[in-house]
Amino acid sequence: MTTDLSKSDIENADNNQESRSEEDLRESVGQIASARDAIVAQVRKRIYGQTDLIDHLLIALFARGHVLLMGVPGLAKTSLVSTLAEALDLNFNRIQFTPDLMPSDITGTDILEEDHSTGRRFFKFIKGPVFSNLLLADEINRTPPKTQAALLQAMQEYEVSAGGNTYKLERPFQVFATQNPIEQEGTYPLPEAQLDRFMFRLTVDYPNAEDEVLIVRNTTSTRREEIQPVLNAQRILELQQLVLEVPVSEEVVRYAVNLVRRTRPEDPSAPDYIREYVSWGAGPRAGQYLILGGKARAILDGRLTVSNEDIRALAAPILRHRLLVNFQAEAQGLTTDDIIARLLEEP
């Protein structure tokens, strides 16, 4: 099992880490920390509050992770992602998922064309909206599994197949998907395999009173702030590569792995309440994302050292959609967040 990193990504990181000195790494980390502040400043021109959400999206961006956003309609999820794309100077597309959406509506399709000079007919591939840098899959659970699966290859392999041909996606490529947690009629739950492709599952909450006043005041006037690009696609790819080069101690790696293993009921290290309330625990991809996310969190904070606290801070959004609680937990009102919080209380 692998994450969304290709073999060439890992080999490049290994080669660069050997040739790049610690001084160079520290300078690069300082640059990405400065870029983070500039990006947040641009996003805040249109998005009020949601500090943790913005931070997690940036962590996912630099760790090459996809994100699943859970929140009721009207909380500016689409505006947040489109504004972030502007600040990063990335191509942005949005797909509204509906029950009649077809896989070709996402990936693209072959159309028959005719050369008027020769009369020869040929098929031409018309790219779908998946060919972008940031793709917003809006209400992804409103379309059947067959169409949901059209994203799997793109999310994992950075390519799509159509008409017997394979087409590479331009990098960076990341999917930010949304789900409405309160309206389940006519929806199709995401398969576990597809859920596992998402680095984070984030909850978008209501704004506080002061932020809501700002939202209402500034969105009911002619005022619209212009967003100035801070980075571009090439620079983002370089910074994503930097994340791979950040060193991590053996202690932190073992802490992340042990945390993941303790979520599995059959593992000898699992606490009694895991065996009692959890049917399935997290797989190795969770540990990979904990380390990648910890690296990204550290350098966005201007640090070259990843700590156990970085792992703990990202445990809930990485693990909550990878644990499956049983009927006994549901009967007692226990959620995956409750179980993760209890795990983090232990040494």
Side-chain angles (χ1 to χ4, degrees):
M1 181 182 294
T2 60
T3 64
D4 299 330
L5 301 175
S6 67
K7 182 178 179 181
S8 61
D9 289 329
I10 298 172
E11 289 175 348
N12 289 337
D14 290 340
N15 293 335
N16 289 340
Q17 193 166 1
E18 291 175 0
S19 60
R20 196 191 296 244
S21 67
E22 183 174 341
E23 183 178 349
D24 289 339
L25 274 175
R26 291 192 181 280
E27 181 180 352
S28 297
V29 167
Q31 293 173 358
I32 197 172
S34 299
R36 180 256 180 201
D37 293 338
I39 294 167
V40 171
Q42 292 299 317
V43 172
R44 291 211 173 283
K45 290 182 177 180
R46 295 182 188 167
I47 305 298
Y48 306 97
Q50 306 291 5
T51 301
D52 289 343
L53 180 61
I54 295 171
D55 286 341
H56 280 95
L57 290 183
L58 289 176
I59 290 170
L61 176 78
F62 292 113
R64 291 184 171 97
H66 308 292
V67 179
L68 180 61
L69 300 167
M70 302 288 290
V72 298
L75 295 183
K77 298 184 291 294
T78 300
S79 296
L80 172 57
V81 178
S82 63
T83 301
L84 183 62
E86 283 189 61
L88 298 171
D89 198 22
L90 296 176
N91 295 327
F92 169 75
N93 278 330
R94 172 183 175 273
I95 304 174
Q96 178 62 54
F97 279 69
T98 57
D100 60 348
L101 194 73
M102 300 295 291
S104 59
D105 295 328
I106 297 174
T107 60
T109 187
D110 288 311
I111 63 170
L112 186 62
E113 290 197 346
E114 182 177 343
D115 187 330
H116 296 293
S117 61
T118 64
R120 184 176 65 88
R121 293 185 176 183
F122 59 94
F123 284 101
K124 179 181 179 181
F125 179 70
I126 303 299
K127 294 180 178 179
V130 74
F131 288 86
S132 60
N133 297 128
L134 282 186
L135 178 67
L136 179 65
D138 213 355
E139 296 190 285
I140 190 173
N141 59 330
R142 290 205 170 277
T143 200
K146 179 180 179 180
T147 305
Q148 292 173 3
L151 278 180
L152 284 179
Q153 182 184 14
M155 293 169 67
Q156 180 70 18
E157 305 295 339
Y158 299 99
E159 62 186 26
V160 297
S161 298
N165 296 313
T166 299
Y167 302 91
K168 295 290 185 181
L169 298 175
E170 181 182 351
R171 297 202 192 183
F173 170 76
Q174 280 161 279
V175 174
F176 292 169
T178 71
Q179 279 190 210
N180 178 355
I182 62 174
E183 190 178 356
Q184 299 302 321
E185 185 176 352
T187 61
Y188 304 84
L190 293 180
E192 298 300 324
Q194 186 163 346
L195 277 174
D196 197 47
R197 295 301 195 280
F198 289 99
M199 177 179 185
F200 290 147
R201 197 193 83 179
L202 302 174
T203 301
V204 185
D205 293 321
Y206 289 108
N208 62 39
E210 291 302 316
D211 289 333
E212 193 161 355
V213 168
L214 289 173
I215 292 169
V216 173
R217 178 191 299 142
N218 293 326
T219 58
T220 56
S221 68
T222 57
R223 176 183 177 185
R224 180 171 175 81
E225 296 282 357
E226 291 296 321
I227 304 298
Q228 302 299 321
V230 177
L231 299 175
N232 56 37
Q234 181 57 43
R235 184 57 178 151
I236 289 171
L237 290 175
E238 293 171 0
L239 296 177
Q240 287 178 338
Q241 191 70 22
L242 173 64
V243 169
L244 297 180
E245 298 172 33
V246 172
V248 182
S249 69
E250 181 74 11
E251 176 194 354
V252 173
V253 173
R254 288 191 177 277
Y255 179 80
V257 171
N258 290 338
L259 180 62
V260 172
R261 292 185 67 85
R262 282 170 29 227
T263 68
R264 303 169 189 164
E266 72 282 359
D267 194 273
S269 65
D272 290 339
Y273 58 87
I274 293 291
R275 303 178 195 276
E276 184 178 0
Y277 297 125
V278 176
S279 296
W280 296 98
R285 186 179 274 120
Q288 293 171 317
Y289 276 141
L290 282 171
I291 294 301
L292 285 172
K295 289 183 175 188
R297 186 175 188 267
I299 63 175
L300 283 168
D301 196 36
R303 294 179 285 112
L304 192 56
T305 304
V306 183
S307 68
N308 288 351
E309 182 54 37
D310 292 312
I311 306 302
R312 292 168 59 84
L314 301 178
I318 288 177
L319 295 176
R320 62 166 57 110
H321 56 298
R322 294 182 164 89
L323 270 64
L324 182 63
V325 296
N326 58 28
F327 176 77
Q328 188 170 351
E330 293 176 352
Q332 297 188 29
L334 290 176
T335 66
T336 54
D337 279 5
D338 296 327
I339 293 170
I340 294 167
R342 188 167 175 181
L343 273 174
L344 294 176
E345 290 174 357
E346 300 174 355

mmCIF file of all heavy atoms in Angstrom, residues 211-235:
data_model
loop_
_atom_site.group_PDB
_atom_site.id
_atom_site.type_symbol
_atom_site.label_atom_id
_atom_site.label_comp_id
_atom_site.label_asym_id
_atom_site.label_seq_id
_atom_site.Cartn_x
_atom_site.Cartn_y
_atom_site.Cartn_z
ATOM 1 N N ASP A 211 -17.205 36.960 13.599
ATOM 2 C CA ASP A 211 -16.910 36.608 12.207
ATOM 3 C C ASP A 211 -18.173 36.644 11.360
ATOM 4 O O ASP A 211 -18.133 37.052 10.193
ATOM 5 C CB ASP A 211 -16.266 35.220 12.138
ATOM 6 C CG ASP A 211 -14.847 35.207 12.689
ATOM 7 O OD1 ASP A 211 -14.193 36.261 12.639
ATOM 8 O OD2 ASP A 211 -14.402 34.146 13.172
ATOM 9 N N GLU A 212 -19.297 36.225 11.926
ATOM 10 C CA GLU A 212 -20.540 36.229 11.166
ATOM 11 C C GLU A 212 -20.994 37.646 10.844
ATOM 12 O O GLU A 212 -21.547 37.910 9.765
ATOM 13 C CB GLU A 212 -21.631 35.477 11.924
ATOM 14 C CG GLU A 212 -22.851 35.171 11.079
ATOM 15 C CD GLU A 212 -23.709 34.062 11.646
ATOM 16 O OE1 GLU A 212 -23.324 33.442 12.658
ATOM 17 O OE2 GLU A 212 -24.769 33.787 11.046
ATOM 18 N N VAL A 213 -20.745 38.580 11.764
ATOM 19 C CA VAL A 213 -21.047 39.995 11.487
ATOM 20 C C VAL A 213 -20.216 40.479 10.302
ATOM 21 O O VAL A 213 -20.728 41.159 9.397
ATOM 22 C CB VAL A 213 -20.778 40.860 12.735
ATOM 23 C CG1 VAL A 213 -20.799 42.351 12.368
ATOM 24 C CG2 VAL A 213 -21.805 40.581 13.822
ATOM 25 N N LEU A 214 -18.928 40.137 10.285
ATOM 26 C CA LEU A 214 -18.065 40.537 9.168
ATOM 27 C C LEU A 214 -18.542 39.922 7.852
ATOM 28 O O LEU A 214 -18.533 40.582 6.803
ATOM 29 C CB LEU A 214 -16.623 40.104 9.451
ATOM 30 C CG LEU A 214 -15.869 40.864 10.546
ATOM 31 C CD1 LEU A 214 -14.527 40.198 10.821
ATOM 32 C CD2 LEU A 214 -15.672 42.316 10.144
ATOM 33 N N ILE A 215 -18.936 38.640 7.906
ATOM 34 C CA ILE A 215 -19.408 37.964 6.698
ATOM 35 C C ILE A 215 -20.623 38.676 6.122
ATOM 36 O O ILE A 215 -20.679 38.991 4.927
ATOM 37 C CB ILE A 215 -19.740 36.491 7.015
ATOM 38 C CG1 ILE A 215 -18.470 35.710 7.341
ATOM 39 C CG2 ILE A 215 -20.469 35.839 5.841
ATOM 40 C CD1 ILE A 215 -18.720 34.330 7.906
ATOM 41 N N VAL A 216 -21.607 38.931 6.975
ATOM 42 C CA VAL A 216 -22.852 39.556 6.505
ATOM 43 C C VAL A 216 -22.587 40.962 6.001
ATOM 44 O O VAL A 216 -23.094 41.372 4.950
ATOM 45 C CB VAL A 216 -23.905 39.556 7.632
ATOM 46 C CG1 VAL A 216 -25.127 40.358 7.216
ATOM 47 C CG2 VAL A 216 -24.300 38.127 8.001
ATOM 48 N N ARG A 217 -21.759 41.723 6.710
ATOM 49 C CA ARG A 217 -21.488 43.110 6.310
ATOM 50 C C ARG A 217 -20.774 43.179 4.965
ATOM 51 O O ARG A 217 -21.129 43.958 4.087
ATOM 52 C CB ARG A 217 -20.649 43.800 7.383
ATOM 53 C CG ARG A 217 -20.269 45.252 7.006
ATOM 54 C CD ARG A 217 -19.227 45.811 7.945
ATOM 55 N NE ARG A 217 -19.736 45.841 9.319
ATOM 56 C CZ ARG A 217 -18.992 45.572 10.380
ATOM 57 N NH1 ARG A 217 -17.730 45.203 10.230
ATOM 58 N NH2 ARG A 217 -19.512 45.646 11.589
ATOM 59 N N ASN A 218 -19.746 42.349 4.810
ATOM 60 C CA ASN A 218 -18.889 42.474 3.628
ATOM 61 C C ASN A 218 -19.414 41.745 2.396
ATOM 62 O O ASN A 218 -18.943 41.995 1.285
ATOM 63 C CB ASN A 218 -17.491 41.965 3.961
ATOM 64 C CG ASN A 218 -16.780 42.840 4.971
ATOM 65 O OD1 ASN A 218 -16.965 44.051 4.990
ATOM 66 N ND2 ASN A 218 -15.969 42.232 5.824
ATOM 67 N N THR A 219 -20.356 40.827 2.574
ATOM 68 C CA THR A 219 -20.894 40.105 1.419
ATOM 69 C C THR A 219 -22.232 40.672 0.953
ATOM 70 O O THR A 219 -22.828 40.139 0.017
ATOM 71 C CB THR A 219 -21.064 38.611 1.736
ATOM 72 O OG1 THR A 219 -21.933 38.465 2.863
ATOM 73 C CG2 THR A 219 -19.720 37.967 2.021
ATOM 74 N N THR A 220 -22.684 41.733 1.570
ATOM 75 C CA THR A 220 -23.942 42.367 1.148
ATOM 76 C C THR A 220 -23.699 43.774 0.649
ATOM 77 O O THR A 220 -24.574 44.626 0.702
ATOM 78 C CB THR A 220 -24.951 42.387 2.320
ATOM 79 O OG1 THR A 220 -24.362 43.046 3.445
ATOM 80 C CG2 THR A 220 -25.362 40.971 2.702
ATOM 81 N N SER A 221 -22.484 44.015 0.164
ATOM 82 C CA SER A 221 -22.133 45.324 -0.398
ATOM 83 C C SER A 221 -21.406 45.100 -1.715
ATOM 84 O O SER A 221 -21.214 43.965 -2.160
ATOM 85 C CB SER A 221 -21.238 46.099 0.577
ATOM 86 O OG SER A 221 -19.978 45.470 0.696
ATOM 87 N N THR A 222 -21.000 46.172 -2.339
ATOM 88 C CA THR A 222 -20.287 46.076 -3.617
ATOM 89 C C THR A 222 -18.809 45.765 -3.415
ATOM 90 O O THR A 222 -18.083 45.553 -4.388
ATOM 91 C CB THR A 222 -20.410 47.404 -4.384
ATOM 92 O OG1 THR A 222 -19.892 48.466 -3.566
ATOM 93 C CG2 THR A 222 -21.857 47.693 -4.734
ATOM 94 N N ARG A 223 -18.380 45.716 -2.193
ATOM 95 C CA ARG A 223 -16.964 45.495 -1.902
ATOM 96 C C ARG A 223 -16.566 44.059 -2.253
ATOM 97 O O ARG A 223 -17.231 43.118 -1.854
ATOM 98 C CB ARG A 223 -16.701 45.750 -0.415
ATOM 99 C CG ARG A 223 -15.274 45.466 0.017
ATOM 100 C CD ARG A 223 -15.146 45.679 1.519
ATOM 101 N NE ARG A 223 -13.807 45.347 1.992
ATOM 102 C CZ ARG A 223 -13.442 45.354 3.263
ATOM 103 N NH1 ARG A 223 -14.333 45.686 4.191
ATOM 104 N NH2 ARG A 223 -12.215 45.049 3.618
ATOM 105 N N ARG A 224 -15.486 43.930 -2.993
ATOM 106 C CA ARG A 224 -14.916 42.610 -3.283
ATOM 107 C C ARG A 224 -13.409 42.759 -3.396
ATOM 108 O O ARG A 224 -12.899 43.416 -4.307
ATOM 109 C CB ARG A 224 -15.485 42.018 -4.566
ATOM 110 C CG ARG A 224 -14.897 40.622 -4.888
ATOM 111 C CD ARG A 224 -15.619 39.957 -6.023
ATOM 112 N NE ARG A 224 -14.999 38.708 -6.416
ATOM 113 C CZ ARG A 224 -15.171 37.545 -5.801
ATOM 114 N NH1 ARG A 224 -15.960 37.484 -4.744
ATOM 115 N NH2 ARG A 224 -14.576 36.440 -6.234
ATOM 116 N N GLU A 225 -12.721 42.158 -2.456
ATOM 117 C CA GLU A 225 -11.269 42.264 -2.398
ATOM 118 C C GLU A 225 -10.609 41.481 -3.528
ATOM 119 O O GLU A 225 -11.020 40.371 -3.853
ATOM 120 C CB GLU A 225 -10.762 41.744 -1.052
ATOM 121 C CG GLU A 225 -11.232 42.554 0.151
ATOM 122 C CD GLU A 225 -10.451 43.841 0.319
ATOM 123 O OE1 GLU A 225 -9.511 44.070 -0.479
ATOM 124 O OE2 GLU A 225 -10.783 44.615 1.228
ATOM 125 N N GLU A 226 -9.582 42.072 -4.116
ATOM 126 C CA GLU A 226 -8.801 41.385 -5.137
ATOM 127 C C GLU A 226 -7.737 40.514 -4.473
ATOM 128 O O GLU A 226 -7.085 40.943 -3.525
ATOM 129 C CB GLU A 226 -8.140 42.389 -6.076
ATOM 130 C CG GLU A 226 -9.122 43.141 -6.965
ATOM 131 C CD GLU A 226 -9.856 42.215 -7.917
ATOM 132 O OE1 GLU A 226 -9.211 41.269 -8.434
ATOM 133 O OE2 GLU A 226 -11.051 42.429 -8.144
ATOM 134 N N ILE A 227 -7.574 39.321 -4.983
ATOM 135 C CA ILE A 227 -6.593 38.388 -4.441
ATOM 136 C C ILE A 227 -5.310 38.456 -5.270
ATOM 137 O O ILE A 227 -5.356 38.353 -6.499
ATOM 138 C CB ILE A 227 -7.135 36.949 -4.440
ATOM 139 C CG1 ILE A 227 -8.453 36.869 -3.659
ATOM 140 C CG2 ILE A 227 -6.102 35.982 -3.862
ATOM 141 C CD1 ILE A 227 -8.342 37.233 -2.216
ATOM 142 N N GLN A 228 -4.195 38.655 -4.590
ATOM 143 C CA GLN A 228 -2.899 38.698 -5.262
ATOM 144 C C GLN A 228 -2.204 37.345 -5.132
ATOM 145 O O GLN A 228 -2.042 36.833 -4.017
ATOM 146 C CB GLN A 228 -2.011 39.791 -4.646
ATOM 147 C CG GLN A 228 -2.609 41.189 -4.700
ATOM 148 C CD GLN A 228 -2.848 41.650 -6.119
ATOM 149 O OE1 GLN A 228 -2.028 41.382 -7.012
ATOM 150 N NE2 GLN A 228 -3.958 42.343 -6.345
ATOM 151 N N PRO A 229 -1.803 36.739 -6.238
ATOM 152 C CA PRO A 229 -1.134 35.430 -6.161
ATOM 153 C C PRO A 229 0.164 35.510 -5.358
ATOM 154 O O PRO A 229 0.941 36.453 -5.514
ATOM 155 C CB PRO A 229 -0.852 35.087 -7.624
ATOM 156 C CG PRO A 229 -1.814 35.926 -8.414
ATOM 157 C CD PRO A 229 -1.994 37.185 -7.629
ATOM 158 N N VAL A 230 0.366 34.516 -4.513
ATOM 159 C CA VAL A 230 1.566 34.454 -3.677
ATOM 160 C C VAL A 230 2.573 33.454 -4.248
ATOM 161 O O VAL A 230 3.770 33.712 -4.265
ATOM 162 C CB VAL A 230 1.193 34.054 -2.233
ATOM 163 C CG1 VAL A 230 2.446 33.902 -1.372
ATOM 164 C CG2 VAL A 230 0.247 35.087 -1.630
ATOM 165 N N LEU A 231 2.082 32.318 -4.719
ATOM 166 C CA LEU A 231 2.932 31.286 -5.293
ATOM 167 C C LEU A 231 2.422 30.943 -6.681
ATOM 168 O O LEU A 231 1.443 31.501 -7.157
ATOM 169 C CB LEU A 231 2.923 30.027 -4.407
ATOM 170 C CG LEU A 231 3.422 30.170 -2.971
ATOM 171 C CD1 LEU A 231 3.227 28.861 -2.209
ATOM 172 C CD2 LEU A 231 4.885 30.582 -2.937
ATOM 173 N N ASN A 232 3.082 29.995 -7.331
ATOM 174 C CA ASN A 232 2.579 29.442 -8.587
ATOM 175 C C ASN A 232 2.781 27.929 -8.560
ATOM 176 O O ASN A 232 3.341 27.376 -7.611
ATOM 177 C CB ASN A 232 3.278 30.076 -9.798
ATOM 178 C CG ASN A 232 4.786 29.938 -9.734
ATOM 179 O OD1 ASN A 232 5.320 28.919 -9.286
ATOM 180 N ND2 ASN A 232 5.497 30.967 -10.179
ATOM 181 N N ALA A 233 2.316 27.253 -9.600
ATOM 182 C CA ALA A 233 2.336 25.789 -9.608
ATOM 183 C C ALA A 233 3.754 25.238 -9.458
ATOM 184 O O ALA A 233 3.981 24.290 -8.693
ATOM 185 C CB ALA A 233 1.693 25.274 -10.897
ATOM 186 N N GLN A 234 4.713 25.823 -10.165
ATOM 187 C CA GLN A 234 6.084 25.315 -10.102
ATOM 188 C C GLN A 234 6.662 25.467 -8.703
ATOM 189 O O GLN A 234 7.321 24.554 -8.177
ATOM 190 C CB GLN A 234 6.965 26.054 -11.119
ATOM 191 C CG GLN A 234 8.404 25.573 -11.154
ATOM 192 C CD GLN A 234 8.525 24.085 -11.448
ATOM 193 O OE1 GLN A 234 7.834 23.569 -12.309
ATOM 194 N NE2 GLN A 234 9.409 23.396 -10.728
ATOM 195 N N ARG A 235 6.408 26.613 -8.070
ATOM 196 C CA ARG A 235 6.940 26.831 -6.724
ATOM 197 C C ARG A 235 6.275 25.892 -5.718
ATOM 198 O O ARG A 235 6.934 25.398 -4.796
ATOM 199 C CB ARG A 235 6.712 28.288 -6.314
ATOM 200 C CG ARG A 235 7.319 28.665 -4.969
ATOM 201 C CD ARG A 235 8.791 28.407 -4.938
ATOM 202 N NE ARG A 235 9.397 28.812 -3.670
ATOM 203 C CZ ARG A 235 10.467 28.249 -3.141
ATOM 204 N NH1 ARG A 235 11.061 27.240 -3.765
ATOM 205 N NH2 ARG A 235 10.953 28.674 -1.990
#
